[in-house]
Amino acid sequence: MQKPSNIGGQAVLEGIMMRFKDDYAIAVRKSDGDIVVKKEKYRNTIPIRGIEKIPILRGVSAFIDSLVVGVSCLMYSSEFYDEETPDSERKEKDEQWERSGEAKIIAEDPDRKSSLGKGEMALTVFLAAGLTIGLFILLPYFLASILRRFGASEVAVSLTEALLRFVIFFGYMIMISKMKDIQRVFMYHGAEHKCINCLEHGLELNVENVMVSSRQHKRCGTSFMLFVVVVSAVFFLIIGLLGITSPLLRFGLRLLFIPVIAGVSYEIIRLAGSSENPCVLILSKPGLMLQKLVTREPDEAQVEVAIAAVDAVFDWRGYLAENFPS
């Protein structure tokens, strides 16, 4: 029986970010084999007290927060990342670290400042959000709108837009899954999921148990993005059925619905992560299948990094004692 731990994470360059409640930690494997762990407090981007208890709004807040924290963690991990190190050499180093068992875990100085300033960080987050909205929301809309020139109905245009959105989304996933450097990030992504699954199935957090755990998890951000695509298709089909003729109004409504779509998708993924209802499990299946593209089986050295990140923010021994007393 799986029991939710409410811990989440993200793969970064040669490392893992794990978050639990008000804390998050980034663990990165340095070129010398040591693991650097940096722990920080989590602060809501939208400063509304109690927003985490308000349905839909908490999803909007969580989406923005995950984007801000995610970009910050990627920028931090990139400071340790040597682009000139070939993929094969990094794998060889992983094998050496596994055999030696001499890696040290070093606590990063919390006062150490990132080389990226607040203005640069804000611009990076803005560009990332803009690229996501442009690629998965606006591009399908403009491509499908061409059909209006040939007399297509609004329903036909909306259905084509939804189909194009699925094609672009899956095409993007397949494309990045073929990139060698991204495949190493996907291995860390697999290590993140394996750690969480290990704990949520009542196993002690060690390399051996993590390695045999599943690399698929119902609360994955990839599943969230798939729900966004599906929910957006429903919302935008409703706009088409309303028979709105103004192109500006149609475009404006799509932008206006984006936070609502994110909020509804968050509620679905939240339910999926905490329920064993057969209908919910069926709803989660497509996202779990998609995770086969964006996760890879990690090696033991990568699992060690994920465990270090979990250790920094989560009392997993207390969690196991409370939820799996036997």
Side-chain angles (χ1 to χ4, degrees), residues 136-156:
F136 299 119
I137 301 294
L138 302 184
L139 179 60
Y141 165 70
F142 286 120
L143 290 177
S145 295
I146 297 174
L147 293 178
R148 291 192 180 92
R149 300 177 184 177
F150 301 95
S153 67
E154 287 302 318
V155 174

Side-chain angles (χ1 to χ4, degrees), residues 193-246:
H193 284 189
K194 279 174 168 285
C195 273
I196 298 173
N197 276 320
C198 174
L199 291 175
E200 293 186 343
H201 285 85
L203 300 177
E204 182 180 348
L205 190 66
N206 57 48
V207 173
E208 182 181 1
N209 287 340
V210 172
M211 288 296 290
V212 298
S213 297
S214 171
R215 73 173 199 261
Q216 297 168 300
H217 197 279
K218 292 184 291 183
R219 292 199 314 272
C220 177
T222 307
S223 295
F224 169 78
M225 288 301 298
L226 180 59
F227 283 128
V228 167
V229 172
V230 174
V231 172
S232 66
V234 175
F235 273 82
F236 297 156
L237 179 60
I238 293 173
I239 294 176
L241 292 174
L242 292 176
I244 298 171
T245 57
S246 169

Side-chain angles (χ1 to χ4, degrees), residues 148-174:
R148 291 192 180 92
R149 300 177 184 177
F150 301 95
S153 67
E154 287 302 318
V155 174
V157 172
S158 297
L159 291 175
T160 303
E161 178 185 349
L163 178 62
L164 286 171
R165 186 167 293 111
F166 276 103
V167 170
I168 291 172
F169 177 71
F170 285 109
Y172 173 80
M173 289 297 177
I174 293 171

